[in-house]
Amino acid sequence: EARATVIDATFGAGGYTRALLEAGAGRVIAIDRDAHAIAAGSRLVADFPGAAQALSRPAHQHSMIST
């Protein structure tokens, strides 16, 4: 059974992203305007290899995200 890909457009400290992954999301793409937040979240990305991706651009700059 395929697990969902979820977009978290409010990455911040990564709390929602972690909760989504721990709840069984197959992949979370996290977006935040603050590059410092993305850098701080690198540990979370490392904890979920292949399942978490963090982008440091505003959501409106991502015209298409594919899986």
Side-chain angles (χ1 to χ4, degrees):
E1 179 177 317
R3 297 185 308 167
T5 296
V6 180
I7 298 174
D8 175 1
T10 58
F11 183 65
Y16 287 122
T17 295
R18 181 174 295 280
L20 289 163
L21 290 163
E22 289 175 348
R27 183 173 182 217
V28 176
I29 300 168
I31 303 167
D32 200 293
R33 295 180 131 170
D34 183 356
H36 293 40
I38 298 300
S42 63
R43 166 87 189 234
L44 185 146
V45 173
D47 288 347
F48 295 91
Q53 179 181 6
L55 306 172
S56 63
R57 289 179 280 184
H60 72 274
Q61 290 183 357
H62 296 282
S63 58
M64 179 174 37
I65 298 174
S66 60
T67 58

